[in-house]
Amino acid sequence: MDQDEINRQLDAMAAEAAATGDEGKLPGLIYLSADTYISRRIQSVTTSLIRGMRIRGVRVWVSSKFEDRIISRAETDGLDADMLGVFEDLEPLS
């Protein structure tokens, strides 16, 4: 997964959520392998420890044990809410 693929998938998920009126379909969490994050030079922003790493406002978790994927807000049920943080609006591409 590269930066363009991430952006396309985020936009597709946002469009589907808007079309159905289901906020659970909005992007909830981006999982990236450490290899992808480093080798593809994925750009993320960290403004505070509490907010964590974000791409366009969506929380990013990076680990050598992860496969690259983006899950919806509905799919984050059961994850540690403190680790996940607050859902934010999807930021537009700049």
Side-chain angles (χ1 to χ4, degrees), residues 9-73:
Q9 191 169 349
L10 292 175
D11 289 337
M13 292 175 83
E16 182 179 1
T20 62
D22 183 355
E23 289 193 8
K25 293 184 178 188
L26 287 168
L29 179 63
I30 301 169
Y31 287 101
L32 293 175
S33 71
D35 183 54
T36 295
Y37 186 74
I38 294 167
S39 68
R40 302 279 177 117
R41 298 183 181 144
I42 303 297
Q43 296 177 10
S44 64
V45 174
T46 304
T47 56
S48 73
L49 291 176
I50 293 172
R51 187 171 180 259
M53 285 189 338
R54 304 273 174 156
I55 295 175
R56 296 180 57 196
V58 180
R59 186 71 181 250
V60 179
W61 286 355
V62 177
S63 172
S64 61
K65 298 180 192 246
F66 291 157
E67 291 185 24
D68 301 340
R69 63 189 173 116
I70 301 173
I71 63 171
S72 69
R73 291 181 180 185

Side-chain angles (χ1 to χ4, degrees), residues 50-51 54 59 61 80-88:
I50 293 172
R51 187 171 180 259
R54 304 273 174 156
R59 186 71 181 250
W61 286 355
D80 184 335
D82 291 333
M83 295 270 308
L84 185 59
V86 176
F87 291 124
E88 298 179 7

